[in-house]
Amino acid sequence: MRVAVTGTPGTGKTTATDALAARAAAGDSPSDRLDIGDSTLEVVHLNEVLEDEALYTEVDEDRQSKVADMDALEAWLEGRDDVLIESHLAHHFDADRVAVLRCEPETLETRLADRGETAAKASENAESEALDVILGETVDRHGLESVYEIDTTNRTPEEVADALCAVVTGEREPSAGEVDFVGYLT
């Protein structure tokens, strides 16, 4: 089983997957593995892999970010099954199920500003969220039957972890297009 957790930066991907991993650690299993139902998944924080393995092509100075080498990341993931891949890039790779975390754009902008992002970057990400950019890319690649949209706006990390657990175990039905933030743009 390969599960991807994706979403616009600031939607809570790392926080929620870390909350899920903390549960596993509390159960005396290694914190990089999740025992959920009948599945044991390795947690892969793809942004850490990108950084640690230098799997980027350049640094975008304007955005203060590294440009991912998608082919190199795909090669790194090759042969890795039973993984939970977490990143705003995770939907670009093969997965059985994809959870797309969503967040109300104004809340997202505040989260990004609070963690030190520039106002321009926070605004760009909020606009991307309102336009459903990552959701659209995910549905295009994986189909509606494999996508699980989760609104994190008013949920704690533990509640988002619960929703992710339901995705992994198959206790939740696929959903896409139920969250609507387009009003942010007007």
Side-chain angles (χ1 to χ4, degrees), residues 31-143:
S31 62
D32 65 341
R33 300 203 65 78
L34 300 175
D35 292 318
I36 301 174
D38 294 334
S39 301
T40 299
L41 304 175
E42 175 189 1
V43 178
V44 175
H45 294 289
L46 206 53
N47 295 353
E48 289 178 13
V49 171
L50 181 143
E51 186 75 33
D52 294 346
E53 303 289 327
L55 301 179
Y56 53 92
T57 57
E58 63 181 297
V59 176
D60 182 334
E61 295 298 333
D62 292 337
R63 288 194 170 88
Q64 301 176 352
S65 62
K66 295 182 171 81
V67 177
D69 182 336
M70 300 301 281
D71 292 333
L73 284 169
E74 187 165 13
W76 189 91
L77 286 167
E78 192 171 313
R80 286 180 165 83
D81 296 317
D82 296 325
V83 293
L84 184 144
I85 306 164
E86 175 273 321
S87 169
H88 69 288
L89 302 171
H91 62 284
H92 291 289
F93 304 100
D94 290 340
D96 300 297
R97 298 178 183 155
V98 184
V100 180
L101 303 193
R102 305 293 309 279
C103 182
E104 189 279 321
E106 288 179 9
T107 302
L108 183 70
E109 253 185 300
T110 300
R111 288 180 185 179
L112 292 170
D114 288 349
R115 72 180 198 195
E117 298 294 349
T118 65
K121 192 169 184 177
S123 177
E124 179 182 342
N125 281 306
E127 201 170 287
S128 174
E129 181 69 358
L131 292 169
D132 299 338
V133 171
I134 289 182
L135 178 65
E137 291 174 355
T138 303
V139 169
D140 284 348
R141 172 158 176 123
H142 298 278

